[in-house]
Amino acid sequence: YTVRIRTTDQGGLFFEKAFTITVTNVNEAPTDIGLSSTSIAENAGANATVGTLSTTDPDAGNTFTYTLVTGTGDTDNASFNISGSTLRATASLDFEAKSSYTVRIRTTDQGGLFFEKAFTIAVTNVNEAPVLTISQAIVTGSVLSTLINSGTWSDPEGDSVNLTSSIGS
């Protein structure tokens, strides 16, 4: 910016001079963290992607690193990891065991300034096959046939289970 300043004495005489004011850029802290998705399908596997992290910052062209940090909302940090800007589940998650997780993430710019935010990650339910637990089975003769004397059918989602059987030879 250029400004002109005048100084005047009590007799009305004055002097003027132009000055150039230079505004220097300073690094400002990030102001928000975004996550492209806040849900993951159950049974997606270890290191399955939840979403991509992004940062809002007044300074154009900054670069950022992301870390899981302690603080309000860090309850389930151990269940997740960050690779670059990708939030991932550390292990396969199970909707029936737990359907929601909270993590606290920090974004840090190249100047060391940071912003933290807690996210809730939803685990979405996937229809899983029913399970049969056999307590006793009998195989008779040379014909392959199985008679199930007792067993338990269950479905992880609690859906009803229909039993169909076939005897083959």
Side-chain angles (χ1 to χ4, degrees), residues 5-9 11-17:
I5 298 178
R6 175 186 283 187
T7 181
T8 306
D9 67 13
L13 300 175
F14 64 91
F15 175 78
E16 290 182 346
K17 184 173 182 179

Side-chain angles (χ1 to χ4, degrees), residues 111-123:
L113 300 177
F114 63 88
F115 177 83
E116 296 178 4
K117 186 175 181 178
F119 292 91
T120 299
I121 309 301
V123 179

Side-chain angles (χ1 to χ4, degrees), residues 70-105:
T70 58
T72 303
D74 72 349
T75 308
D76 301 305
N77 279 8
S79 298
F80 295 87
N81 65 76
I82 296 174
S83 177
S85 62
T86 303
L87 179 64
R88 309 182 310 177
T90 300
S92 198
L93 304 176
D94 180 15
F95 174 86
E96 287 74 32
K98 187 170 182 172
S99 63
S100 178
Y101 293 79
T102 59
V103 294
R104 185 173 186 85
I105 298 173

